[in-house]
C-alpha cells in the first residue's frame, strides 16, 4: 500500500485506489491510499508549521536537497520511466525522456536557489536607498493532471521549494505512482518535515479543500478548462494567487515552400506521439493548397508504419489511450467529425487487445481531411491521437486560421521562407511558437505557458517561475 505523506509521516486514507496499466488492464501496479478532506487540511497545517523555518533556509540547503533529488531521479531513469509508461501508457522512450526532464528540472531549480535576484536603486529622495527583493509566497497547493505524471509535479514542486515555499501536492487520480515516487525521493532528501506533503485523492474533495483553505497562499493548476475556471473563481473569491495551464487546440501550418519530409515528421510527432495526450499536441494542421495533396499522401503513408501497442514493448510508436473514459471521448469526437462531413482519411479504429492479446485501450491514430474551421473537431480539445487537416489558399489565410481559436498555447509553422517564419513568430497568438519543429517538445529551462483560454497567470518553468512562487518587497533605508 502506497500512502500519503503528511508532516513527514506516511498516512493511510479512508479509501484505496488501484493504479491500473492501460496497456494491460489485468496488471495492477499498486494500491494507493486516498486522502480525505481532513488529510488535505492536515497537510496544509503541516506545511504552514514548516514555513517559517523553511522560508529562511539557506540557498545552500535548498541547493543540496534539490540537487540530490535531481541526481536520484536521473540515476533511476529506467526504473521510474518503466513505472511512468506502465501507469500512463506513453512509450518507454517517451517516459524515460520525461523522467530525465524531471531530473533536469530539479537540477535547474537547485541552481535557481543560489541565484536569488534583487535590485538596489537610488531613491528619488536624498540619502535614501531602495532595495527590491523577492520572498517566498507561503504554502502552495499544486494540482496536477495525468498526462505528465512526473514532469508536471516536478516543474511545480522544484521552483516552489527552490524559492522557499512549502508544498501540498495533489496529483491526478489516474497516475499516483510517479508522484508517490517523487514524494519518496523528497522524503529521503533531507527536507524538513512538512515542507513537502503529498495527498492523493479526488479533485472534488481533496483538491477542493486546497482551493478554499485560507492558509494556502497560491494554487498552481494544470488540467481541464472546466476545473481551471473553478480554481479561478474560488481563488479570486478569497484573493489567493493562482496560475492555470489548461487546454490547447494547437495549429501547425505547412506552407508550399516547406520541406515535405520535415513537415510530415513534425505533424506526426506532435499530432500522435504520446497518444496525442499533450496540451502542446498539434490537433489542427493548416496546409496551403500547393502542397496539400502531397502532404496528406505522405502523412497517411507514414501513419501506416506506426505501431500501436503495449507502451513498454520495444518498437511501439504509440501506446494506449490512458483509460476507458478518454477512449470514449476520442471516439465521440471521431463520430462528430464524420457527422460534420469531414473525411476520415486514416485510422480511428479501436482494438481491445494488443498484439500479445493483453486487454487495453488501443486506438489507431486518426486523420481527418477536408475539414473546416467551425467544425467541433477544429474548435474543441479532443486530447487523443486525432488530427484534422484544413486546406487554405495562402500564408495570410493560414495565419488567420491558426489564430482563430479560443486557445493559445503553442503554434507551429513549417516553411523555408525567412519572411514567413519571422512574420509568424511575431503574429502567432500563442505563448510558444515553433518554426520547423513540432509544437510539442519544449526545453526545461525556459518559460512555458500560453495565452487566451489556455493559461492564466505568470509563466511556469525557467527563471520566470519566480513570478508565481515569490512576492516582491520594496525596502527603503535612510542611511
Ligand atoms: P482531466 O480531465 O485532465 O483529468 P481535471 O481538470 O479534471 O482534468 O483534473 C486535473 C486535476 O485537477 C486533477 O488532479 C484533479 O483531481 C483535479 N481536480 C478536479 N476537480 C477539482 C476540483 N473541483 N477542485 C480541485 N481540483 C480538482
Amino acid at each position: 500500500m502506497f500512502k500519503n505523506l503528511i508532516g513527514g509521516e506516511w498516512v493511510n486514507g479512508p479509501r484505496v485506489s488501484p493504479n491500473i496499466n492501460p496497456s494491460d488492464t489485468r496488471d495492477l501496479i499498486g494500491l494507493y491510499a486516498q486522502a480525505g478532506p481532513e488529510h488535505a487540511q492536515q497537510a496544509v497545517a503541516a506545511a504552514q508549521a514548516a514555513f517559517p523555518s523553511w522560508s529562511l533556509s539557506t540557498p545552500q540547503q535548498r541547493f543540496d536537497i534539490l540537487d540530490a533529488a535531481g541526481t536520484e531521479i536521473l540515476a533511476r531513469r529506467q526504473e521510474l520511466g518503466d513505472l511512468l509508461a506502465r501507469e500512463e501508457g506513453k512509450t518507454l522512450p517517451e517516459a524515460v525522456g520525461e523522467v530525465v526532464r524531471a531530473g533536469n528540472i530539479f537540477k535547474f531549480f537547485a541552481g535557481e536557489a543560489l541565484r536569488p535576484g534583487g535590485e538596489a536603486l537610488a531613491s528619488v529622495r536624498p540619502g535614501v536607498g531602495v532595495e527590491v527583493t523577492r520572498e517566498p509566497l507561503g504554502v502552495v497547493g499544486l494540482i496536477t493532471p495525468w498526462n505528465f505524471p512526473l514532469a508536471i509535479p516536478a516543474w511545480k514542486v522544484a521552483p516552489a521549494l527552490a524559492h522557499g515555499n512549502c508544498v501540498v501536492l495533489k496529483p491526478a487520480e489516474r497516475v499516483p505512482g510517479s508522484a508517490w515516487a517523487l514524494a519518496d525521493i523528497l522524503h529521503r532528501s533531507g527536507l524538513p518535515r512538512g515542507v513537502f506533503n503529498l495527498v492523493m485523492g479526488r479533485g472534488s474533495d481533496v483538491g477542493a479543500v486546497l482551493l478554499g483553505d485560507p492558509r494556502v497562499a497560491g494554487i498552481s493548476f494544470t488540467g481541464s478548462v472546466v476545473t481551471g475556471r473553478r480554481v479561478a473563481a474560488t481563488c479570486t473569491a478569497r484573493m489567493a494567487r493562482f496560475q492555470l495551464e489548461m487546454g490547447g487546440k494547437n495549429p501547425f501550418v505547412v506552407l508550399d515552400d516547406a520541406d515535405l519530409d520535415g513537415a510530415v515528421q513534425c505533424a506526426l510527432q506532435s499530432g500522435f506521439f504520446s497518444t496525442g495526450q499533450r496540451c502542446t499536441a498539434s490537433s489542427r494542421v493548416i496546409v496551403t493548397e500547393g502542397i496539400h495533396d502531397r502532404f496528406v499522401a505522405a502523412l497517411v503513408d507514414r501513419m501506416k508504419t506506426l505501431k500501436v501497442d503495449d507502451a513498454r514493448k520495444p518498437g511501439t510508436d504509440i501506446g494506449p489511450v490512458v483509460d476507458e473514459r478518454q477512449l470514449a471521448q476520442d471516439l465521440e469526437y471521431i463520430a462528430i467529425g464524420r457527422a460534420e462531413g469531414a473525411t476520415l482519411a486514416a485510422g480511428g479504429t479501436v482494438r481491445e487487445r494488443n498484439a500479445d492479446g493483453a486487454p487495453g485501450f488501443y486506438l489507431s491514430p486518426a486523420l481527418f481531411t477536408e475539414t473546416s474551421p467551425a467544425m467541433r473537431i477544429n474548435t474543441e480539445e479532443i486530447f487523443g491521437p486525432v488530427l484534422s487537416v484544413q486546406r487554405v489558399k495562402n500564408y495570410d489565410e493560414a495565419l488567420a486560421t491558426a489564430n482563430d481559436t479560443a486557445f493559445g498555447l503553442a503554434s507551429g509553422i513549417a516553411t523555408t521562407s525567412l519572411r514567413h517564419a519571422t512574420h509568424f513568430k511575431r503574429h502567432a497568438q500563442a505563448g510558444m511558437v515553433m518554426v520547423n519543429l513540432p509544437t510539442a517538445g519544449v526545453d526545461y529551462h525556459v518559460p512555458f505557458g500560453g495565452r487566451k483560454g489556455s493559461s492564466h497567470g505568470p509563466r511556469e518553468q525557467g527563471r520566470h517561475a519566480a513570478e508565481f512562487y515569490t512576492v516582491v518587497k520594496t525596502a527603503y533605508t535612510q542611511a
Side-chain angles (χ1 to χ4, degrees), residues 143-144 146 170-174 203 207-208 211 221-224 227 230:
I143 300 177
T144 56
W146 51 262
K170 204 230 56 86
E173 294 91 317
R174 277 177 269 193
L211 303 189
F221 167 84
T222 303
S224 64
T227 310
R230 194 186 295 263

Side-chain angles (χ1 to χ4, degrees), residues 304-324:
K304 286 184 190 144
T305 68
L306 295 177
K307 245 192 173 159
V308 182
D309 204 344
D310 188 310
R312 294 186 294 159
K313 197 167 154 184
T316 296
D317 295 300
I318 298 176
V321 174
V322 72
D323 67 7
E324 208 164 4

Side-chain angles (χ1 to χ4, degrees), residues 71-403:
T71 300
E72 179 169 345
I73 291 168
L74 291 172
R76 292 172 58 195
R77 66 185 69 182
Q78 289 300 333
E79 172 213 342
L80 293 174
D82 187 75
L83 169 66
L84 202 162
R86 193 173 163 206
E87 73 172 350
E88 200 271 351
K90 64 185 65 176
T91 65
L92 194 54
E94 288 172 333
V96 171
E98 182 177 338
V99 173
V100 169
R101 177 187 180 89
N104 284 331
I105 286 170
F106 271 90
K107 294 272 182 187
F108 175 84
F109 282 105
E112 281 295 277
L114 293 173
R115 289 188 284 268
E119 289 173 76
L121 297 90
S123 167
V124 294
R125 286 169 279 169
V128 174
V130 184
E131 290 157 342
V132 182
T133 52
R134 289 182 176 271
E135 296 181 0
L137 180 61
V139 174
V140 291
L142 310 180
I143 300 177
T144 56
W146 51 262
N147 63 331
F148 285 89
L150 190 61
I152 296 182
W155 84 48
K156 295 184 191 297
V157 170
L161 297 177
H163 293 298
N165 301 280
C166 291
V167 169
V168 180
L169 170 66
K170 204 230 56 86
E173 294 91 317
R174 277 177 269 193
V175 291
S178 301
W180 188 90
L182 178 61
D184 172 54
I185 290 168
L186 290 172
H187 181 55
R188 291 184 283 96
S189 68
L191 266 186
R193 289 163 158 263
V195 172
F196 172 85
N197 304 274
L198 174 77
V199 284
M200 300 176 286
R202 284 192 290 245
S204 55
D205 53 18
V206 174
V209 165
L210 299 181
L211 303 189
D213 194 313
R215 297 169 294 182
V216 177
I219 295 283
S220 180
F221 167 84
T222 303
S224 64
V225 174
V226 172
T227 310
R229 285 188 196 285
R230 194 186 295 263
V231 174
T234 312
C235 290
T236 302
R238 65 180 184 86
M239 295 209 233
R241 189 178 283 194
F242 62 96
Q243 173 183 55
L244 311 174
E245 289 299 341
M246 302 172 286
K249 196 68 199 173
N250 308 298
F252 186 70
V253 168
V254 180
L255 298 185
D256 285 354
D257 60 32
D259 170 70
L260 183 64
D261 287 346
V264 167
Q265 189 53 35
C266 287
L268 204 70
Q269 150 54 258
S270 50
F272 300 131
F273 288 1
S274 296
T275 324
Q277 297 173 155
R278 292 183 285 194
C279 42
T280 49
S282 303
S283 51
R284 300 182 292 139
V285 188
I286 299 159
V287 190
T288 48
E289 54 194 7
I291 196 173
H292 177 277
D293 293 355
R294 278 182 294 140
F295 173 82
V296 168
L299 183 57
V300 170
D301 272 355
R302 286 297 310 276
M303 286 173 69
K304 286 184 190 144
T305 68
L306 295 177
K307 245 192 173 159
V308 182
D309 204 344
D310 188 310
R312 294 186 294 159
K313 197 167 154 184
T316 296
D317 295 300
I318 298 176
V321 174
V322 72
D323 67 7
E324 208 164 4
R325 207 180 71 182
Q326 183 62 48
L327 178 63
Q329 178 170 317
D330 297 348
L331 292 175
E332 193 187 330
Y333 274 106
I334 290 171
I336 289 169
R338 296 178 105 153
E340 285 177 317
T343 305
L344 185 60
T349 49
V350 176
R351 275 187 304 141
E352 282 162 8
R353 291 184 181 272
N354 66 18
D356 301 317
F361 310 108
Y362 296 97
L363 175 63
S364 63
L367 184 72
F368 279 113
T369 55
E370 310 305 339
T371 74
S372 56
M375 288 179 177
R376 286 178 63 193
I377 52 168
N378 278 326
T379 57
E380 297 173 19
E381 185 172 52
I382 302 171
F383 222 61
V386 184
L387 194 60
S388 65
V389 177
Q390 298 178 66
R391 189 197 295 262
V392 292
K393 282 198 177 55
N394 52 32
Y395 170 74
D396 290 341
E397 189 185 347
L399 176 66
T401 307
N403 286 338

